[in-house]
């Protein structure tokens, strides 16, 4: 495919792994006039709260049955066809710490203005390579899908077939639980949601394990990646976040750049 073919990138993974933070910084590092990025947040496609399924007697916001897949798929197809799609109504834009390394924001994982500028410069250098410049008549359109569940078995196959690059962010059980339970709550389309006691262990973690076990050796979601299956399914799993979200962002940008340089996307759906 030519460099101007629309690219659809899905960023998924366990709750509280930084998906929205990473996704929201990508437009800052893939700048115009070379790129045109749109973000769709899956949080904007929940079914009405009254229609959510139950798990362990609790409302389950973390399963495939909680999402309006026909509506989400239609939005992605409209974008791919060139239509404007309204960006997220629930998730805010990122707040960037401008104070540098000495004052890095813990919440943003060290994603500073200096880092964003460094990554943007690297992307622009790649963009100016003869391989990517050849044949470009308009900005490279990229759609970023940000959501907890985007390419696992319970997701409709017609939706999964639209995805060109699938990125799975991960975190250890203990760390993810600590982050989730530290949150005061979530803005929803209908108001405000606070996790009831035990929600992570009864709903969030079991759903994550059930949906993502196939991507890991012996189904151990804290273990080694099942490289053969992930390669076949075009799933890239972040090895970890020892360097915080700053390194996760750097790794994610590297994966997108790798696909752009290699070419050959846009063949599904």
């Amino acid at each position: 495919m030519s460099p101007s073919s629309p690219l659809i990138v899905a960023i998924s993974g366990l709750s509280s792994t930084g998906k929205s933070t990473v996704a929201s910084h990508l437009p800052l590092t893939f700048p115009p006039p070379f790129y045109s990025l749109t973000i769709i947040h899956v949080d904007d496609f929940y079914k009405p709260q009254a229609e959510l399924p139950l798990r362990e007697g609790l409302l389950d916001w973390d399963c495939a049955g909680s999402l309006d897949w026909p509506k989400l798929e239609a939005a992605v197809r409209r974008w791919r066809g060139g239509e404007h799609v309204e960006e997220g109504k629930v998730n805010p834009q990122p707040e960037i710490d401008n104070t540098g390394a000495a004052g890095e924001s813990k919440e943003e994982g060290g994603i500073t203005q200096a880092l964003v500028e460094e990554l943007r410069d690297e992307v622009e250098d790649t963009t100016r390579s003869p391989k990517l410049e050849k044949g470009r008549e308009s900005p490279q359109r990229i759609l970023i899908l940000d959501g907890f569940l985007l390419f696992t078995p319970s997701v409709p196959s017609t939706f999964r077939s639209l995805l060109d690059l699938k990125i799975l962010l991960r975190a250890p059980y203990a760390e993810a639980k600590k982050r989730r339970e530290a949150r005061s709550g979530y803005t929803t389309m209908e108001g405000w949601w606070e996790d009831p006691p035990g929600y992570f262990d009864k709903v969030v973690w079991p759903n994550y394990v059930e949906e993502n076990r196939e991507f890991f050796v012996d189904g151990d979601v804290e273990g080694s990646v099942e490289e053969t299956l992930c390669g076949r399914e075009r799933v890239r799993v972040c090895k970890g976040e020892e360097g915080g979200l700053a390194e996760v962002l750097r790794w994610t940008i590297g994966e997108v750049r790798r696909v752009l340089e290699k070419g050959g996307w846009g063949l599904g759906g």
Side-chain angles (χ1 to χ4, degrees):
M1 305 298 286
S2 71
S4 60
S5 299
L7 176 69
I8 300 177
V9 179
I11 301 179
S12 189
L14 180 61
S15 173
S16 305
T17 50
K19 299 180 296 295
S20 295
T21 298
V22 169
S24 296
H25 280 83
L26 292 179
L28 305 177
T29 53
F30 286 87
F34 308 109
Y35 300 95
S36 174
L37 267 71
T38 298
I39 300 176
I40 290 180
H41 299 287
V42 172
D43 287 2
D44 292 328
F45 293 85
Y46 276 111
K47 295 177 180 177
Q49 188 166 321
E51 298 178 17
L52 294 181
L54 297 176
R55 180 168 187 146
E56 298 286 331
L58 301 172
L59 286 176
D60 188 348
W61 295 85
D62 290 79
C63 67
S66 68
L67 297 171
D68 187 338
W69 290 104
K71 183 178 179 181
L72 176 56
E73 182 175 330
V76 174
R77 289 186 181 278
R78 289 199 309 274
W79 176 89
R80 194 173 68 167
E83 294 184 35
H84 172 75
V85 175
E86 183 178 0
E87 296 198 36
K89 299 178 283 294
V90 171
N91 288 274
Q93 291 301 306
E95 294 181 3
I96 301 174
D97 174 12
N98 292 299
T99 59
E104 287 178 348
S105 165
K106 183 178 181 181
E107 180 183 15
E108 291 294 310
I111 300 178
T112 63
Q113 181 66 39
L115 175 63
V116 170
E117 292 176 356
E118 174 191 337
L119 295 174
R120 184 176 62 234
D121 288 346
E122 292 177 1
V123 169
E124 288 185 350
D125 287 344
T126 302
T127 303
R128 293 189 177 95
S129 69
K131 183 176 181 179
L132 291 183
E133 286 280 8
K134 184 179 180 181
R136 176 181 284 114
E137 298 177 356
S138 59
Q140 171 64 59
R141 297 176 62 233
I142 302 176
L143 176 63
I144 305 297
L145 294 168
D146 157 37
F148 70 95
L149 196 66
L150 289 170
F151 43 78
T152 53
S154 62
V155 175
S157 60
T158 54
F159 179 84
R160 283 183 278 136
S161 69
L162 296 171
L163 309 178
D164 300 307
L165 173 61
K166 307 166 189 174
I167 288 177
L168 181 64
L169 303 187
R170 60 195 299 203
Y173 163 84
E175 180 63 25
K177 180 177 180 179
K178 180 177 72 173
R179 294 177 187 172
R180 175 84 183 209
E181 295 182 346
R183 293 182 172 180
S184 58
Y186 296 83
T187 300
T188 70
M189 298 300 291
E190 297 169 90
W192 183 255
W193 163 264
E194 295 181 5
D195 289 348
Y199 189 80
F200 186 88
D201 287 319
K202 293 179 180 179
V203 177
V204 176
W205 183 255
N207 278 334
Y208 171 71
V209 172
E210 290 171 11
E211 290 286 351
N212 293 277
R213 64 168 74 247
E214 70 172 2
F215 300 131
F216 299 91
V217 175
D218 298 326
D220 179 4
V221 296
E222 296 191 270
S224 301
V225 174
E226 183 60 72
E227 300 288 356
T228 301
L229 183 143
C230 287
R232 184 172 66 247
E233 296 296 325
R234 302 194 306 277
V235 174
R236 300 291 296 166
V237 181
C238 189
K239 303 301 183 183
E241 47 180 86
E242 292 81 0
L245 285 182
E247 288 308 308
V248 175
L249 175 63
R250 186 187 296 276
W251 175 84
T252 301
I253 290 171
E255 292 301 312
V256 176
R257 290 173 60 189
R258 180 180 62 83
V259 172
L260 291 172
E261 292 171 18
K262 183 179 180 180
W265 68 88
L267 302 178

